Amino acid sequence: HVQLVESGGGSVQHGGSLRLSCSASGYTYSRYSMAWFRQVPGKKREGVAAISPPGRAINYADSVKGRFTISRDNARNTLYLQMNSLKPEDTAIYYCAAADDIWSLDPTRYPYWGQGTQVTVS
C-alpha cells in the first residue's frame, strides 16, 4: 500500500531555513506527481508546491515563490521541500501527497497523503 512519511519539521526563527523530506513506498514513485501542502487548524489545506513525475515541471503557490524549492529524487523515492526566508505565516502542518495525475496545487486531486510534520516559525 502507498505510504508517505514526512520528516524535517521543527521550530525556526523568522528568516531561517528548514528542509522537509518525504519518503515514499508502496507504488511506482517515479510515475506519480508529488506535492507539498500545508494546513493551519481551522483553515483550508493550501497547496505549496507540486512537481511532475520526472521533476521537470513545477508549480508554486505565489506565497512561497522565490523562497521555497521543491525537488525529487526518483532513485531514492524521496520528495524534498527546501524552505528559506521563513516567515511566521509559514507556520503550519506540512503534508506531502501523491497523485497519478497532473502536478496540481488542488488537494482534491491527491488521493495519497502523509501524516504531516509541524513547522513553527517565530
Side-chain angles (χ1 to χ4, degrees):
H1 67 284
V2 175
Q3 188 170 13
L4 301 172
V5 180
E6 301 95 338
S7 61
S11 297
V12 64
Q13 290 190 337
H14 188 173
S17 298
L18 281 175
R19 189 193 196 202
L20 304 183
S21 298
C22 172
S23 178
S25 62
Y27 69 106
T28 306
Y29 175 77
S30 61
R31 294 182 182 177
Y32 277 59
S33 294
M34 299 294 296
W36 288 99
F37 293 84
R38 64 187 182 187
Q39 189 168 23
V40 175
K43 294 190 175 181
K44 290 184 179 180
R45 192 164 292 190
E46 173 191 18
V48 174
I51 189 167
S52 64
R56 297 192 188 101
I58 291 173
N59 284 328
Y60 289 106
D62 288 343
S63 58
V64 306
K65 281 180 182 176
R67 300 188 299 121
F68 290 11
T69 302
I70 188 172
S71 62
R72 65 190 295 165
D73 185 337
N74 285 351
R76 298 186 176 187
N77 288 4
T78 304
L79 178 73
Y80 303 100
L81 185 69
Q82 178 67 44
M83 305 186 293
N84 298 329
S85 302
L86 282 161
K87 305 174 182 180
E89 50 263 44
D90 295 318
T91 296
I93 299 174
Y94 283 72
Y95 300 88
C96 70
D100 185 12
D101 200 343
I102 196 168
W103 44 100
S104 167
L105 294 178
D106 178 357
T108 66
R109 304 294 289 266
Y110 290 81
Y112 305 113
W113 293 84
Q115 82 291 347
T117 185
Q118 177 71 48
V119 171
T120 302
V121 185
S122 59

